[in-house]
Amino acid sequence: MHQENVSATLTVAAPPARVFAVLADPTTHAAIDGTGWVQEPVDRAPLTEVGQIFRMAMHHAKHPNGDYQVVNKVQVLDPPHAIGWLTGQDKGDGDLEFGGWLWRYDLTPHGPSDTEVTLTYDWSAVPQYIRERGIQFPPFAPDHLTNSLHHLSELTTRTPRAGTPGGQTPGSQTPGGQTSSGRP
């Protein structure tokens, strides 16, 4: 039998909890995406439970509509070790249909401040009727997963905004008990 998944692995200079927090935030997914297809979250709530549904606005030049929306269903949620979701669509009548492909991130700590992240795209559960539609799996170039992991690394290792005292975010406490805005 041939392999029906692809994976890429990268070590990120951030602890697993930080990496997991970025992955569990749908507002970061467009910045993580290595294809440019993910546009913006429709549902912005953090991912907190298996079965949770979240939608994303998408764009793909070869999609019949160009702009479209996907529905995702959280399948794996094991903070800060693993997170994954199935991708599908709203059939227009309120019923959701998931195609059988899964996006999964596995996080392994390497010391206190590094995390090995493995991103896997698995299409082994795609039913035959979807395969007969002529969809190629995976529907992206092999470097997509690696690009996504590099984007994730950039998001998780960003330094605080320039211009804030001590590199703190506005409103955070300084050692002297004042906020970084200079107010107590």
Side-chain angles (χ1 to χ4, degrees), residues 22-44 54-59 70 72 85 105 144 147-152 154-155 158:
V22 170
L23 292 168
D25 179 357
T27 67
T28 66
H29 290 195
I32 295 169
D33 177 39
T35 64
W37 299 346
V38 178
Q39 299 299 296
E40 61 186 39
V42 175
D43 300 311
R44 302 176 74 81
F54 67 103
R55 292 168 171 80
M56 302 297 290
M58 306 286 287
H59 177 82
V70 294
N72 299 289
W85 51 86
Y105 293 83
H144 163 67
N147 290 343
S148 292
L149 290 175
H150 282 288
H151 295 165
L152 174 63
E154 291 168 11
L155 283 172
R158 281 191 182 150

